[in-house]
Amino acid sequence: MLRVAVIGGSNGQLARSLSETADAGCMVSLLGRPQVDLAEPAGLPEMLSGLLRDLAPQIVVNAAAYTAVDRAESEPDAAFRINRDGAAAVAQACAALGLPLVHVSTDYVFDGSGDRPWREDDACAPTGIYGRSKLEGERAVQAALPAAVILRTAWVHSPFGGNFVKTMLRLAGERDRLRVVADQQGCPTYAPDLAAAILTLAQRRVAAPDDPALGGIFHLAGSGATSWFGLAGEVMTVSARLGGPHRPVDPITTADYPTPARRPANSVLDCSRIDAAYGIRLPDWHAGVARCVARLLDT
């Protein structure tokens, strides 16, 4: 049986998806607040080492993060404590115990320029505090544990937690029309699909911990790309087909919807490296949206 310790509470989209996705051949243990709080990194490596020693996992997944992109602009200390210092503490604990680590990062480490998908070796230049804190977290993890797997993902949605798909369905029940940004491109990622892929990756990594081809930075997101406008339209189409709330969606520009943090215009990730190394490729983003909306309407 594969034993996985997940840093992240039961309310987190990915942590909960990992717990629900695990089958009879995998045991997932969630370590979240207040037991493990990345916002309080002082002394965390030693405390976490003790917890992990007792749990005896074969691999650790850090799915915890400060993800409030706009609020991070006014709370930089909180973002860096969790996304950089907390991530470093997790990596240090894993290094002390000789445990492999999968650390989840973000597409926001890029500045969104250009029109081709971003590759792992492209230069990072985040435009906001959230992206900067996650990039520094990646670097802190690599410094503490060079063999760690760092997964950059994007536009995560699920039947739980706060996310874009849930927001669109809620607004469809409250407004006559929806206005959604159409000039930002990315790869919608269904959290249960991401979770299943991470567990497959974890099995491979545990079996070959010293294989250099299986470590380092990888991109892992839903296949295909769209805009927030395109994603909202798909949510409405699926909801209408299933008898749920739906409204017309009007495209707007980023300038029409100013936010404290500047989002990358091009957030599309090239996921070919993880396909080559692990044989992992996530389903088309449309399929994830259909499953997500169906489950939300069934609750």
Side-chain angles (χ1 to χ4, degrees):
M1 176 177 289
L2 178 66
R3 301 184 306 279
V4 183
V6 176
I7 310 300
S10 59
N11 291 328
Q13 293 192 83
L14 182 54
R16 183 165 173 182
S17 295
L18 284 161
S19 181
E20 290 193 358
T21 302
D23 58 20
C26 179
M27 183 179 71
V28 170
S29 300
L30 299 183
L31 297 174
R33 294 177 178 172
Q35 186 180 27
V36 174
D37 188 355
L38 298 197
E40 302 293 340
L44 185 58
E46 295 77 13
M47 184 272 289
L48 186 55
S49 293
L51 288 174
L52 293 175
R53 194 176 290 110
D54 291 341
L55 280 174
Q58 295 163 288
I59 192 167
V60 175
V61 177
N62 182 16
Y66 181 109
T67 58
V69 175
D70 286 325
R71 196 165 70 238
E73 296 299 308
S74 59
E75 296 182 353
D77 290 346
F80 279 100
R81 270 200 312 273
I82 295 172
N83 292 343
R84 179 193 61 200
D85 304 336
V90 173
Q92 290 162 12
C94 290
L97 298 176
L99 285 171
L101 170 65
V102 178
H103 174 75
V104 181
S105 191
T106 177
D107 54 321
Y108 277 48
V109 299
F110 298 113
D111 65 8
S113 61
D115 56 7
R116 66 163 176 80
W118 292 95
R119 297 189 293 260
E120 289 84 352
D121 57 357
D122 285 328
C124 294
T127 60
I129 296 297
Y130 167 68
R132 282 173 50 200
S133 67
K134 290 296 288 182
L135 178 59
E136 292 198 20
E138 289 185 7
R139 291 168 174 168
V141 167
Q142 288 185 309
L145 192 64
V149 175
I150 294 174
L151 293 181
R152 294 177 182 149
T153 191
W155 295 25
V156 176
H157 61 91
S158 71
F160 20 78
N163 60 76
F164 182 84
V165 172
K166 290 183 73 174
T167 298
M168 290 301 102
L169 286 177
R170 175 178 59 79
L171 292 178
E174 300 173 357
R175 302 180 182 179
D176 293 331
R177 304 184 72 88
L178 307 182
R179 302 172 71 246
V180 181
V181 171
D183 57 358
Q184 296 173 19
Q185 297 283 319
C187 305
T189 306
Y190 187 44
D193 288 339
L194 179 61
I198 288 175
L199 294 178
T200 297
L201 179 154
Q203 189 78 57
R204 286 279 312 280
R205 192 59 177 149
V206 166
D210 299 321
D211 186 343
L214 300 183
I217 298 174
F218 297 91
H219 292 169
L220 183 58
S223 296
T226 188
S227 65
W228 293 113
F229 167 73
L231 176 53
E234 184 67 12
V235 171
M236 294 301 108
T237 297
V238 174
S239 184
R241 186 169 67 240
L242 297 176
H246 57 283
R247 291 290 185 269
V249 183
D250 300 322
I252 62 173
T253 67
T254 298
D256 294 325
Y257 189 73
T259 57
R262 183 162 71 89
R263 268 74 170 170
N266 170 26
S267 207
V268 180
L269 297 178
D270 181 333
C271 300
S272 57
R273 181 172 184 245
I274 198 165
D275 191 8
Y278 283 95
I280 290 174
R281 183 177 179 85
L282 294 193
D284 183 88
W285 69 268
H286 295 84
V289 170
R291 290 164 59 202
C292 187
V293 172
R295 184 164 170 183
L296 284 166
L297 293 180
D298 194 41
T299 56

